[in-house]
Structures are given as structure tokens and as C-alpha cells.
Amino acid sequence: MIIEQQIMAAAQQAVKNLYGQEVPEKMVQLQKTRSEFEGNLTLVVFPFVKMARKSPEQTGQELGEYLVANCEAVSKFNVVKGFLNLSIADEAWLKLLADIDSQEKYGEKSADEDSPLVMIEYSSPNTNKPLHLGHVRNNLLGWSLAQIMEANGNHVVKTNIVNDRGIHICKSMLAWLKWGNGETPESSGKKGDHLIGDYYVAFDKHYREEIKELVAQGMDEEQAKQEAPLIKEAHEMLVKWEKNDPEVRALWEKMNNWVYAGFDETYKKMGVSFDKIYYESQTYLKGKAKVEEGLAKGLFERHDDNSVWADLTNEGLDKKLLLRSDGTSVYMTQDIGTAEMRFQDYPIDKMIYVVGNEQNYHFQVLSILLDRLGFKWGKELVHFSYGMVELPNGKMKSREGTVVDADDLMELMVEDAYKTSMELGKFDDMTEEERREIARIVGMGALKYFILKVDARKNMLFNPEESIDFNGNTGPFIQYTYARIRSILRKSEKGIVKSEEFATALNEKEVELIQKMSEYGAAVEQAGKDYSPSGIANYCYELTKVFNQFYHDYSILNEPDENIKAMRLVLARNVAKIIKNSMALLGIEVPERM
């Protein structure tokens, strides 16, 4: 913010001139003035009291007098104990508004050739079931984080690792062979990922029946789980897959392709995409090779049963299995292989994994192992750990088919947005095509905002009904404010007003609005440091509230003074711009009318 920089430089000069001391910029603490005091910015006086050899009040008085005389941004001041409250001159606010108006992406930074490359992994689905509510939170967080890192001047690569191999995939394949009768997405009218998910549920149903039967015959339950014919067949299929059996591989490829087509539809509806997709079937052998390489260098140890382990006791952790005694890989091995492939593909400076908090320990270990294996970003890898999403009626279980399906959820949100908008009379003068498009934007905006406004680290309760509300801290409230501003601008007879064309006194609400807009850059920077989409959501809501308070008290189009009217149109235009830009960082569209 230009005003803050001016005041900080002037305050450093004031301390030098008044007390003969050079002070670093970090000693000059400026903050927003508390609402109960007069002023816009407050300078903390305490760091300079010893230099001045005066009381905090006297020091504040001297610094205030110096700043009014020597800094054109400061018009007046008052001192409250050790705090110097500064009122900013209208001319300085109007210059700041002109500065905001001149930049389409005000507050955001662009990458250049020397900017770091940040890779962000998110989604990580399994190819035995469709995406569910948990994946929705993951994808929305990953996409938003990518936009925020870009807005902080980084190059960003968005990546996905698909879990396309393993016993869970074989379960769906086996169930389809046994009970599918050649069913396809085309013959069933189902999306491919839904179709395969049904067979995963079917496998579990039959498998449980087999366990029950074996237990009834007198077998111990744990033994029954191992001895059930279905699970044995699934394991045999996995062994065949590992040995490249042509029939098993052909079926695997066919069914996975059905799933990928389904995933692509879901991702498109959700508004997320990836620059590069990796597949575990391609990375696990790389991981095994990398572990063998580490073993040869003495980084890992082989036990008598031929298994390979990493000893992490020096790091305060335990020993971690990397290869089983039969030579097969574990998840950790696959993650090492994926890291190796990514490092070959891109000059990564920072790696961010968007994965639920149940994997905290996994990533603690992965960081140490990657560092040992020589990946320069290994030690600093970021596990963007997020909490679970729950519904008012409890948790989800995919094996039992009780998950909240992502496609169903998105469809419900869009339908709810359509119904609510119709009931409120917001669609009265629109074609059906317009209504459907706006319902899509509002429904998806409601879903995304409700999920992203919550601190990612916390578990959250998702309530679809609460999210579609045109009042309060919701996506539709912010979208409606944007649409209202665009309507005002369309109705304006003045057209596009240049911010340099007016000079006028400002009221308190106008100053508050300019000051809030000027904080956007700081909000973007902080969200990047904290990896926090919720920081952007909360900023956007605060800006929207401030605008609505201003609009409640003051007219724009009916203002008789042309200068004031022109200034307010520029204010409104820039509020709309920052709402649009900040919502875009959350992956949320804003409609031109509602």
C-alpha cells in the first residue's frame, strides 16, 4: 500500500531528525486504527520512547507533529497512550484509488523467469470408485491453492497422482467379470466411474456373505477374511497383473479408461484441471529402483526376510518398511517413485501435497526419505493437511456405497440454486438458458465458498441448505453483490469514468472502502504464506460487507453532485474488480446479473 510506505519512510526520517537515531523499517509498526478511535492508521510509539527519553504520550505528540508537517499523506493525528493515530488526507486516498483503478490485477504479482516453480499435487483418486465429498474438498483446496501461489508470483504446476493399481482395483475388476454380463457405460447409461464403483460395492457385499458363511461353519473371523474365495481370487488377479498377464491387463485398461472418462466429466463440472497426471502403475517400479539405489548407498537396510527398511530412530521416528519381503512396494515406495519422475520432468523448487490429515505421519517420513535420497525440495516439502468433511447425518463409507457422490452433490447444489432464485424472483426477466447458467454459477459458487471459507486444517460439517443463502457469509451473497454493482455500472449514463477526473472530499464509508480494497495485496500475500484459501474467502466477505454498508447509506446513481457520483462509480467498479479477482482465486465464477 502506497500510503503505508510513505508513512513508514516518513516515520524513519522523523526518528532520525528528532532523536538522531537510524531505525530499520521493521521497527516501524503500522496497523489499522481500532474502530473506537479516530484515525485510519496507527503508529506504535513504544519502540522509540527510549531514544526520545520522553513519555510515550510526548514522543507520540512530537512524531505526530513531524508527520503532519512533512508527510502529505497525514492530515491530522491524536495520541492515545503509546499509540499515534493518524488520519489520512483525502488526496492520498484518491491517489490510492487511482492506483487501484489503473491495475487490472491490483494486489497480485506476476511470475518472471526467475520466479520459483511450485508443484501442487491434489485429487489423488482411486480408479475403483467415483469422486465423493472428501475429494470435492481436496480438489477445491488444491485448485485454489494453485491460483493463490500464482497470484504471489510463482510458476505453478498442478498435478494429480492416480491410484490405478492394487487389490482394490482388482476387486472391481473381478466383480465385473463375475456379475457384469458385459455391462458398459454405454449399455447402462451410467458414467464409467459410477459403474465401476457399483462393482466395488458388489464385491464387498458378496465378500461379507462369504465371511459370514465361513464363520457360521466355525472359522475364526480374521481367518475367514483371508480364506474367503473372493479375496483369494482378487489376490490371484493382482499377481497376474504384476506379471503383465495380457488378459488381466487388457481388462484393467478397459475399465480404467471408463473411469477416466467419468473423472474428466466431474473435474470439468467442478472447474478444476491438471497440467500433468501421473499414474501409480507407472511410478511404483521407479520407486523400487530408487529404494534399491538408496540401499546400495547404505541409506536403508535389508532385513533377514529380504524386506527393506529405513531407520528413522535418529529423527525421533520408528523404522519404516519400503519393500516387502516378496519385493512388492508400499505406498511410500510409490511416492518416492512419483517424486523421482516429477523431479526429472520439472525443476521443482517447492512441492505441496494436498492430502488429508490422516496422512500427517506419512508425509513426515516422506520428507526425510526424499531429503536422504538427494531431492533438494525434500526437506521443505509441504503437506497441506486438511480435515475431514462430514455431513449432518455422519461419515461416509465407500465400500458400503454410502458416500456422498461428487456428481450428485454438484447437481443438487445447482438445482437448489435454481429453485431458490426462482422463489426469490431473481429470474423473472431471464430466458430459461440464462436461468440455468446462472443457477450453475451460483450453485457451484455456494458449494466452493462454503467449503473454502473454513480453515482447511479443521474438520467441517457441510450443510447444503446453509450454503445457498443470499445473506451472510456465503458465495451467493458475494456473487449477488457483484451482480448488483455490474447492474449499477450498466445503468450509469457516465460510461467508464477515469479515476483522475474527479477531486472531492470523502466520507468515512468511502475511506473505509478504499482502505479495505488496498488490503487485498496483503491478504493475497498472507494466504500464500499460510497456504490458506480461507484467508481469501474471509477477505472477500469483509470487502463485500463494507461495500453493502456503504451502499445502504449512500446513493451512487442518484447522487446530485457529478464529482461525487463519478468517484463512487470508480469505487464501485473497483470493488467489483477485486471481488471478481478474489473469487477467481477460490475457483468461483461471478455472474454479470442475478
Side-chain angles (χ1 to χ4, degrees):
M1 174 180 168
I2 298 166
I3 292 172
E4 283 186 356
Q5 288 161 357
Q6 271 181 285
I7 292 171
M8 286 174 88
Q12 283 173 287
Q13 195 61 45
V15 173
K16 187 179 177 183
N17 290 1
L18 294 170
Y19 312 126
Q21 298 273 347
E22 297 267 3
V23 294
E25 194 177 277
K26 64 181 180 185
M27 263 184 89
V28 183
Q29 298 170 41
L30 266 185
Q31 55 200 37
K32 204 170 175 182
T33 303
R34 284 165 54 177
S35 57
E36 62 264 36
F37 300 116
E38 186 187 357
N40 309 111
L41 291 168
T42 296
L43 178 68
V44 181
V45 174
F46 296 111
F48 316 119
V49 169
K50 271 190 184 174
M51 301 171 193
R53 295 181 183 169
K54 291 174 182 164
S55 70
E57 289 83 354
Q58 286 175 298
T59 309
Q61 186 69 27
E62 289 181 354
L63 289 170
E65 286 168 3
Y66 181 95
L67 290 174
V68 168
N70 296 282
C71 179
E72 61 180 23
V74 179
S75 60
K76 57 183 179 174
F77 72 93
N78 65 84
V79 182
V80 179
K81 297 181 179 171
F83 299 95
L84 172 58
N85 301 320
L86 304 170
S87 295
I88 307 304
D90 285 349
E91 293 78 10
W93 288 123
L94 290 167
K95 268 188 195 170
L96 177 56
L97 178 58
D99 185 51
I100 294 168
D101 190 47
S102 69
Q103 300 172 58
E104 195 49 46
K105 292 281 186 180
Y106 173 82
E108 299 180 24
K109 295 175 189 146
S110 300
D112 57 36
E113 58 186 29
D114 297 321
S115 297
L117 175 70
V118 179
M119 181 177 274
I120 301 175
E121 175 195 295
Y122 56 97
S123 200
S124 312
N126 293 332
T127 56
N128 63 324
K129 55 191 174 186
L131 303 178
H132 56 63
L133 178 55
H135 289 114
V136 172
R137 189 177 199 191
N138 180 299
N139 279 282
L140 298 184
L141 286 169
W143 177 265
S144 178
L145 194 57
Q147 310 314 305
I148 290 166
M149 297 310 282
E150 273 190 357
N152 276 286
N154 299 286
H155 295 290
V156 174
V157 175
K158 301 183 290 292
T159 182
N160 185 358
I161 174 74
V162 178
N163 305 309
D164 65 340
R165 62 174 286 277
I167 190 68
H168 50 297
I169 313 295
C170 292
K171 287 176 181 179
S172 295
M173 289 163 61
L174 185 62
W176 184 83
L177 279 178
K178 284 183 175 293
W179 307 296
N181 298 316
E183 188 179 28
T184 66
E186 290 73 28
S187 72
S188 65
K190 288 181 183 174
K191 278 175 81 238
D193 51 337
H194 287 206
L195 181 69
I196 302 308
D198 289 347
Y199 285 103
Y200 182 60
V201 173
F203 177 95
D204 192 64
K205 183 184 160 210
H206 287 88
Y207 175 44
R208 282 172 191 238
E209 285 167 7
E210 287 185 350
I211 294 167
K212 202 173 172 183
E213 209 171 296
L214 290 171
V215 170
Q217 291 167 16
M219 194 181 281
D220 169 71
E221 189 174 345
E222 281 309 306
Q223 192 186 354
K225 285 179 181 175
Q226 306 297 322
E227 295 298 324
L230 267 176
I231 201 71
K232 282 188 164 181
E233 276 190 82
H235 277 292
E236 282 164 21
M237 185 180 266
L238 181 59
V239 171
K240 284 182 180 177
W241 185 92
E242 294 262 355
K243 289 179 177 172
N244 271 323
D245 178 284
E247 276 186 37
V248 171
R249 284 283 179 146
L251 176 62
W252 169 77
E253 205 165 291
K254 176 168 77 174
M255 291 176 72
N256 271 350
N257 283 333
W258 292 346
V259 174
Y260 298 145
F263 283 172
D264 286 347
E265 272 187 59
T266 308
Y267 288 139
K268 191 176 176 187
K269 274 187 214 162
M270 211 182 286
V272 304
S273 61
F274 309 93
D275 301 308
K276 178 86 176 177
I277 298 180
Y278 293 88
Y279 300 89
E280 277 194 11
S281 56
Q282 296 165 3
T283 68
Y284 81 107
L285 291 174
K286 285 259 188 192
K288 286 167 79 168
K290 200 72 186 164
V291 168
E292 294 287 356
E293 186 188 305
L295 189 64
K297 290 178 180 172
L299 301 173
F300 309 132
E301 55 190 39
R302 193 184 291 282
H303 287 190
D304 293 341
D305 66 351
N306 207 37
S307 59
V308 178
W309 296 73
D311 187 349
L312 306 174
T313 48
N314 284 346
E315 279 88 356
L317 305 174
D318 56 10
K319 292 187 176 185
K320 182 69 187 174
L321 176 68
L322 299 179
L323 289 175
R324 297 187 188 97
S325 53
D326 61 2
T328 56
S329 62
V330 294
Y331 269 118
M332 190 65 71
T333 329
Q334 288 157 196
D335 273 345
I336 290 169
T338 310
E340 167 81 347
M341 286 181 79
R342 287 170 175 165
F343 197 66
Q344 287 167 352
D345 293 342
Y346 298 96
I348 302 166
D349 294 297
K350 187 183 281 292
M351 181 73 216
I352 303 174
Y353 294 87
V354 180
V355 182
N357 56 16
E358 75 277 11
Q359 295 291 332
N360 286 354
Y361 181 73
H362 176 88
F363 284 97
Q364 201 181 347
V365 172
L366 182 64
S367 176
I368 295 166
L369 295 180
L370 292 179
D371 185 54
R372 272 193 199 178
L373 289 165
F375 293 94
K376 65 172 183 169
W377 46 265
K379 209 162 199 168
E380 271 79 50
L381 78 76
V382 176
H383 173 208
F384 181 85
S385 170
Y386 63 90
M388 297 298 100
V389 191
E390 292 174 12
L391 290 151
N393 59 358
K395 290 186 179 178
M396 308 172 289
K397 291 176 186 162
S398 53
R399 285 189 309 280
E400 295 166 19
T402 58
V403 298
V404 176
D405 178 79
D407 294 309
D408 292 347
L409 177 63
M410 290 190 283
E411 201 176 304
L412 169 77
M413 297 298 293
V414 173
E415 275 308 309
D416 281 359
Y418 184 89
K419 282 180 200 158
T420 305
S421 299
M422 285 295 275
E423 284 163 14
L424 294 173
K426 293 186 184 297
F427 282 167
D428 291 352
D429 59 343
M430 294 183 193
T431 65
E432 184 60 16
E433 192 182 348
E434 274 182 299
R435 288 171 182 168
R436 289 290 166 191
E437 176 60 4
I438 290 169
R440 181 192 68 78
I441 292 172
V442 173
M444 289 305 298
L447 170 65
K448 292 179 180 186
Y449 188 85
F450 197 91
I451 284 177
L452 292 173
K453 74 177 180 180
V454 178
D455 180 346
R457 290 163 299 189
K458 295 178 179 172
N459 286 354
M460 68 171 290
L461 191 71
F462 178 71
N463 189 328
E465 288 170 17
E466 273 180 37
S467 67
I468 298 189
D469 191 332
F470 286 81
N471 297 300
N473 190 3
T474 66
F477 170 68
I478 295 168
Q479 289 171 318
Y480 182 63
T481 301
Y482 175 83
R484 172 189 265 172
I485 296 172
R486 297 300 297 164
S487 170
I488 291 166
L489 295 172
R490 282 194 297 273
K491 288 174 188 168
S492 164
E493 293 165 11
K494 294 190 74 65
I496 298 297
V497 183
K498 288 277 185 285
S499 52
E500 300 82 40
E501 287 176 6
F502 51 76
T504 181
L506 297 171
N507 65 46
E508 193 182 320
K509 288 280 197 298
E510 289 157 350
V511 166
E512 190 182 358
L513 207 42
I514 297 169
Q515 189 167 9
K516 181 52 77 176
M517 283 194 284
S518 75
E519 293 165 13
Y520 178 54
V524 171
E525 192 177 324
Q526 198 59 48
K529 282 179 186 167
D530 298 341
Y531 309 114
S532 173
S534 63
I536 297 295
N538 293 328
Y539 167 81
C540 195
Y541 174 57
E542 289 300 321
L543 174 63
T544 306
K545 269 200 311 186
V546 172
F547 176 81
N548 279 299
Q549 286 159 4
F550 157 75
Y551 189 66
H552 177 268
D553 293 349
Y554 298 97
S555 175
I556 297 177
L557 294 177
N558 296 325
E559 169 55 51
D561 185 310
E562 286 300 317
N563 247 344
I564 295 174
K565 182 177 175 180
M567 181 271 299
R568 287 181 184 167
L569 283 167
V570 173
L571 257 184
R573 181 172 76 213
N574 283 283
V575 170
K577 174 179 80 181
I578 292 175
I579 286 176
K580 186 176 186 175
N581 291 347
S582 55
M583 289 289 263
L585 296 187
L586 303 174
I588 299 174
E589 298 169 77
V590 283
E592 288 297 304
R593 53 190 300 224
M594 262 171 92

